[in-house]
Amino acid sequence: MPTLRRLAMLGAAAGTVVLAALAALVLMGALPVADALSLVLSGACLAALALVLFSVRRLDGKTQRIDTRVKKLETNLARVTDTLGTVSAELAEASRLLAEGAARRDDDLRAVLAALGEDRVNAMFLRNEVEAEIKEIRRITGAPPRVRTDVGER
């Protein structure tokens, strides 16, 4: 389909040829001036109607392309919305599982820390008993007592 600009140029060229022919007929006396003016006016009206018709057809084509594009985008948006719903459900499930796992890890960590605390307390009691025994042995044997420092014994 020709563009509106090409049709306007073609119409202007044809209109110029028709006006020249009508002017020649009027100058030769074959056509009265009133009839020539009525022909020019009716031709201008027909040209304007043709221009409006092609403009409407062109706008209708653009409207159809836009409508098709909008429908395609709506379809894609519906698909994305469905996917987001699925992702949201999966995230909710993962969040729930992570919360359960965190609670389980907290319980396990508390149990480990409690066990470590008990072991440390037991180790401290055993160390105190061993040190008391070492002091008693040194006292009995007459060995000089060792002094504890932060680095070690002297």
Side-chain angles (χ1 to χ4, degrees):
M1 183 171 149
T3 63
L4 195 58
R5 184 176 293 158
R6 284 190 180 180
L7 287 174
M9 289 188 320
L10 182 63
T16 304
V17 171
V18 169
L19 282 176
L22 283 176
L25 288 175
V26 168
L27 289 177
M28 288 191 312
L31 189 62
V33 176
D35 289 342
L37 285 177
S38 67
L39 285 173
V40 168
L41 287 176
S42 56
C45 287
L46 285 175
L49 285 173
L51 188 66
V52 167
L53 174 71
F54 282 113
S55 296
V56 167
R57 286 195 61 191
R58 187 160 181 198
L59 287 175
D60 184 50
K62 285 183 179 182
T63 305
Q64 286 177 346
R65 286 193 300 276
I66 289 170
D67 188 48
T68 303
R69 190 177 310 137
V70 166
K71 286 180 182 177
K72 181 180 175 183
L73 290 174
E74 285 175 347
T75 303
N76 288 343
L77 184 61
R79 190 170 22 141
V80 167
T81 303
D82 291 342
T83 304
L84 281 176
T86 304
V87 168
S88 176
E90 289 176 4
L91 281 175
E93 179 66 19
S95 175
R96 184 186 63 78
L97 291 175
L98 282 174
E100 288 176 3
R104 204 173 325 121
R105 277 191 305 278
D106 286 345
D107 291 342
D108 292 345
L109 185 60
R110 283 190 190 104
V112 166
L113 289 175
L116 286 176
E118 290 173 3
D119 290 345
R120 185 172 180 178
V121 168
N122 289 337
M124 286 176 27
F125 284 131
L126 287 175
R127 179 179 175 194
N128 289 338
E129 287 179 12
V130 167
E131 284 180 1
E133 293 294 325
I134 289 174
K135 283 181 185 178
E136 183 65 26
I137 292 172
R138 284 192 180 157
R139 188 184 59 79
I140 293 172
T141 60
R146 289 195 173 179
V147 178
R148 269 190 53 187
T149 64
D150 292 341
V151 179
E153 295 182 6
R154 286 194 266 160

